[in-house]
């Protein structure tokens, strides 16, 4: 008997039953976790909702399930009948009774007397090990129940299409009543949980319409979980406020990129289809006579058509194709790309499509999770500019300080189960171009960081002062409590001390440190490209006549549009790709550490970090591997977790640990800041600044580039040239280019 046998019986009895329910029931009936429950009764209750008026089919199915499970149910019944603790008939004083402590539990055999005087043969260490395994097994089983329940919910959600989910979260009827209602959100006390973990407890969620909030916090604190709860209305967001959450890439199909963006606005698409249907029905009625019933039908359809036209006009439906094309162009899609099917794009470009779709819909509340991770500096500059004039409410999770400075009007700090709010101010930056007098910026993350640091210092100072006061009181009490002359004063001090409220120490600022081993010096040249030309086909050349020289003192940042050849150049330097012309010179002693943009693909999800390091660099002890992982904040039991269960930031830390064990002379880092939280990013920047090897980075993070790089090289038009200026000047030049293109 297996779960598949049970699943087949359920399918044959009730064809058409959702597969997630079939799998859940079949697994539940054979799982030992239900041994204390009447599993057949529970199954009967669930299946009765499917059966409806087909009671006879349900009863036949239950009989078959009883036959299949007979052996297992009998075994469970036998386990229940085993001897259990008995209640004594009267109270016994065991301190006075001359009786063995084991005789009452062993049917008359005195185990204590038998074993008295004999040395125990039990291996205590093995016993403790087995007990630990048993505890882990019990804990794993309890967690599995929670996991299976959440998996069932996720599977149910995945069965719904984007259109169905959009209309469920944002009903069309609710949009009609939204005109005269406030779109501010104020929820004074919300609780958010994930499985058994409480993310927020009694927190206040306040989002004023028209403001843009940056949500920050450590990796694993629950920022993405909060966004999902808001998106699914699992916190009570008013129904008239439309919500859209950009979390994952779209599913590719034959729909073109432009058409995909247009279809994202389900309300617009629905109303356009309704318009076509109403016009068709009116055309049919035009050929009918002048009877009153036809006249009434025409009037009703005309009224509905007028209402549909008004709604389409309110949402500016006619300009849809032009707006969609402009959004795609801003995110890097040229005219040819816009006509390509979505299935032809890579994952990163599909994420851009998902972002373009959300911006096109223009919901009242837009939720973005790390939007800067999948776009280059060119598209990021455009996105910053676009979001600064966003008409609705924006809540964005990001660890990019420059991005938050550019777009956020407020910072929300999620920590310790609560949300703290920091309101910012507007600043202006003058540009060099006469027709763009100023670029709007907020610098609100920088302001938040300064305000928070000052507040933390004040809290620590106040706490220390209070502790000193209490110590002074206690010292007086201890000295004079039993002195006849001072006893009254000591009693007064005791009363004062008792009335003081309990003090909790302020939260310690968490800091991280990464460590790369110093590299030994080797004679130049280390790594050179000379007159290199490369293309994936002879017709499509990406790089032409490129020269670059990398040494131990190199600190180079590569910028440019996606597809310009930045990652290709890195792969040529590593030897992963060979040039079509020119040559690459590598020192024979040179070791290169390469952090790929999709580094997750190089990790084995079924291994733990310790096992993965051991497979790559055998010969060390487990403690050595764990100590090395600790250099990148993979500490404690995290090093023994499966890599597949780690967060994106933790996987990045494992990848950095692997790089450092290679003891490289040169690091080639392709988008290393993706997924790292702000503390991890600070640790990476500090480690690279201290390290004595050469570094080439590809990044969209302005602060990371400014801190780590000494040179800025721009990749584009088949060339790689050094930019005379910093990253801020480069972004200004991009904004200028966008302004010229818009003229």
């Amino acid at each position: 008997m297996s779960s598949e046998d049970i699943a087949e019986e359920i399918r044959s009895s009730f064809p058409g039953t959702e597969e997630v329910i079939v799998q859940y029931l079949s697994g539940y009936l054979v799982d030992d976790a239900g041994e204390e429950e009447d599993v057949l009764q529970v199954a009967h209750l669930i299946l009765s909702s499917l059966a409806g008026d087909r009671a006879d089919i349900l009863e036949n199915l239950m009989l078959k399930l009883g036959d299949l499970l007979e052996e297992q149910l009998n075994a469970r019944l036998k386990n229940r009948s085993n001897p259990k603790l008995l209640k004594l008939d009267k109270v016994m004083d065991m301190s006075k009774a001359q009786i063995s402590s084991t005789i009452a539990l062993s049917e008359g055999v005195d185990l204590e007397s038998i074993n008295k005087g004999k040395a125990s043969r039990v291996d205590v260490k093995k016993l403790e090990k087995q007990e630990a395994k048993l505890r882990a097994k019990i804990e794993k089983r309890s967690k599995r129940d929670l996991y299976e329940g959440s998996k069932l919910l996720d599977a149910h959600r995945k069965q719904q299409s984007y259109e169905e989910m959009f209309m469920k979260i944002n009903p069309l009827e609710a949009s009609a009543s939204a005109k005269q209602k406030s779109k501010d959100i104020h929820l004074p006390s919300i609780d958010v949980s994930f499985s058994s973990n409480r993310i927020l407890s009694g927190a206040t969620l306040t989002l004023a319409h028209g403001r843009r909030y940056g949500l920050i916090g450590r990796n694993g604190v629950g920022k993405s979980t909060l966004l999902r709860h808001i998106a699914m209305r699992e916190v009570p967001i008013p129904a008239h406020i439309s919500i859209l959450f950009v979390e994952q890439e779209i599913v590719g199909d034959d729909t073109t990129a432009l058409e995909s963006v247009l279809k994202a606005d389900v309300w617009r698409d629905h109303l356009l289809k309704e318009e076509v249907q109403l016009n068709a029905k009116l055309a049919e009625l035009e050929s009918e006579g002048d009877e009153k019933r036809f006249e009434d039908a025409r009037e009703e359809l005309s009224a509905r058509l007028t209402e549909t036209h008004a709604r389409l006009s309110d949402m500016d439906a006619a300009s849809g194709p032009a707006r969609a094309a402009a959004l795609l162009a801003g995110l890097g899609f040229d005219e040819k790309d816009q006509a390509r099917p979505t299935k032809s794009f890579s994952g990163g470009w599909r994420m851009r499509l998902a972002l373009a779709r959300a911006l096109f819909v223009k919901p009242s509340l837009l939720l973005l999770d790390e939007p800067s991770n999948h776009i280059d500096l060119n598209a990021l500059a455009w996105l910053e500019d676009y979001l600064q004039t966003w008409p609705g409410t924006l809540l964005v999770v990001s660890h990019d300080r420059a991005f938050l400075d550019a777009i956020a009007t407020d910072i929300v700090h999620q920590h310790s189960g609560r949300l703290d709010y920091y309101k910012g101010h507007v600043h202006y930056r003058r540009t060099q171009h006469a027709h763009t007098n100023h670029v709007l910026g907020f610098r609100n993350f920088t302001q938040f960081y300064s305000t928070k640091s000052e507040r933390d210092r004040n809290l620590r100072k106040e706490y220390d002062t209070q502790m000193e006061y209490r110590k002074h009181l206690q010292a007086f009490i201890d000295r004079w409590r039993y002195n006849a002359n001072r006893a009254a004063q000591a009693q007064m001090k005791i009363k004062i001390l008792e009335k003081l409220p309990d003090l909790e120490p302020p939260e310690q600022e968490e800091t991280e440190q990464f460590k790369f081993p110093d590299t030994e010096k080797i004679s130049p040249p280390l790594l050179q490209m000379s007159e290199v030309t490369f293309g994936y086909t002879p017709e499509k050349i990406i790089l032409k006549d490129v020269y670059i020289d990398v040494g131990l003192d190199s600190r180079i940042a590569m910028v440019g549009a996606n597809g310009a050849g930045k990652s290709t150049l890195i792969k040529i330097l590593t030897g992963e790709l060979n040039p079509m012309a020119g040559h690459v010179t590598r020192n024979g002693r040179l070791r290169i550490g390469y952090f790929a943009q999709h580094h997750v693909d190089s990790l084995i999800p079924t291994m733990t970090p310790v096992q993965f390091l051991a497979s790559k660099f055998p010969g060390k002890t487990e403690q050595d591997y764990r100590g090395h992982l600790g250099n990148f904040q993979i500490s404690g039991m995290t090093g023994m977790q499966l890599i597949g269960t780690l967060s994106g930031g933790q996987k990045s830390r494992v990848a950095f640990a692997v790089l450092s064990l290679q003891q490289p002379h040169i690091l080639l880092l392709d988008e290393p800041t993706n997924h790292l939280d702000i503390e991890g990013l600070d640790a990476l920047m500090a480690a690279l600044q201290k390290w004595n090897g050469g570094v080439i980075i590809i990044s969209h993070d302005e602060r990371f580039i400014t801190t780590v790089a000494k040179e800025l090289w721009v990749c584009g038009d088949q060339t790689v040239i050094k930019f005379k200026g910093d990253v801020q000047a480069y972004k200004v030049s991009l904004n200028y280019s966008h302004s010229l293109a818009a003229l």
Side-chain angles (χ1 to χ4, degrees), residues 551-563:
L552 289 178
D553 58 347
S554 295
R555 288 289 192 276
I556 299 171
M558 305 289 301
V559 296
N562 276 14

Side-chain angles (χ1 to χ4, degrees), residues 368-653:
L368 301 178
D369 195 353
E370 294 287 2
S372 61
N373 273 4
H374 304 279
I375 56 179
D376 54 44
L377 205 55
N378 301 41
L380 183 60
W382 176 87
L383 181 63
E384 289 176 0
D385 190 52
Y386 187 87
L387 289 178
Q388 284 174 5
T389 56
W390 183 253
T393 307
L394 175 67
L395 180 59
V396 55
V397 171
S398 180
H399 297 129
D400 187 330
R401 295 190 181 196
F403 179 71
L404 290 173
D405 271 342
I407 63 105
T409 59
D410 303 77
I411 296 295
V412 184
H413 184 207
Q414 183 174 344
H415 69 109
S416 308
R418 68 176 191 263
L419 300 172
D420 291 342
Y421 295 82
Y422 296 81
K423 188 170 289 189
H425 303 285
V426 179
H427 299 269
Y428 293 90
R429 301 193 302 266
R430 291 282 172 184
T431 69
Q432 301 170 354
H433 308 293
H435 65 280
T436 53
N437 293 326
H438 61 270
V439 176
L440 187 61
F442 293 89
R443 315 300 296 170
N444 283 334
F445 181 85
T446 304
Q447 183 180 329
F448 148 77
Y449 202 76
S450 173
T451 304
K452 180 179 179 299
S453 299
E454 184 178 352
R455 190 194 66 175
D456 289 346
R457 283 195 299 270
N458 290 337
L459 286 174
R460 169 57 62 181
K461 187 176 179 180
E462 183 181 345
Y463 175 78
D464 291 342
T465 302
Q466 285 291 325
M467 290 302 295
E468 282 298 321
Y469 176 58
R470 290 164 195 242
K471 285 180 183 178
H472 177 73
L473 289 175
Q474 189 63 52
F476 185 91
I477 293 167
D478 293 341
R479 183 176 181 182
W480 303 111
R481 189 170 192 172
Y482 302 107
N483 183 290
N485 295 329
R486 299 287 187 94
Q489 294 179 17
Q491 286 299 319
M492 184 177 67
K493 302 288 186 185
I494 290 173
K495 290 180 181 179
I496 293 173
L497 191 60
E498 288 174 345
K499 289 180 181 179
L500 291 175
D502 293 335
L503 271 186
E504 288 189 11
E507 296 175 14
Q508 292 290 338
E509 186 70 28
E510 293 186 40
T511 58
E512 292 189 16
Q513 287 187 345
F514 288 3
K515 185 178 180 182
F516 294 104
D518 287 343
T519 186
E520 76 274 13
K521 291 187 176 182
I522 54 177
S523 301
L526 271 68
L527 184 59
Q528 287 182 340
M529 291 175 64
S530 181
E531 298 181 342
V532 165
T533 296
F534 179 85
Y536 289 98
T537 63
E539 296 77 25
K540 190 174 181 181
I541 300 298
I542 298 175
L543 299 171
K544 186 176 181 180
D545 297 331
V546 174
Y547 176 85
I548 191 168
D549 184 9
V550 185
L552 289 178
D553 58 347
S554 295
R555 288 289 192 276
I556 299 171
M558 305 289 301
V559 296
N562 276 14
K566 302 187 298 296
S567 296
T568 300
L569 185 143
I570 293 285
K571 290 176 181 178
I572 294 172
L573 288 173
T574 63
E576 186 177 332
L577 295 175
N578 294 316
M580 298 171 65
H583 59 274
V584 180
T585 304
R586 300 182 189 87
N587 189 302
R589 296 170 56 199
L590 178 67
R591 291 187 298 273
I592 297 175
Y594 174 39
F595 183 97
Q597 184 174 0
H598 303 290
H599 63 274
V600 174
D601 298 338
S602 66
L603 303 177
I604 300 175
T606 54
M607 283 186 174
T608 67
V610 169
Q611 291 170 339
F612 186 72
L613 259 62
S615 70
K616 292 285 186 182
F617 308 95
K620 299 178 183 290
T621 66
E622 179 182 311
Q623 194 59 38
D624 288 336
Y625 294 123
R626 295 184 72 167
H628 184 74
L629 287 165
N631 288 336
F632 297 88
Q633 306 305 307
I634 300 295
S635 55
M637 291 307 295
T638 309
M640 309 303 290
Q641 262 182 261
L642 293 180
I643 290 174
T645 66
L646 300 179
S647 70
Q650 289 168 328
K651 288 174 183 174
S652 292
R653 286 166 167 81

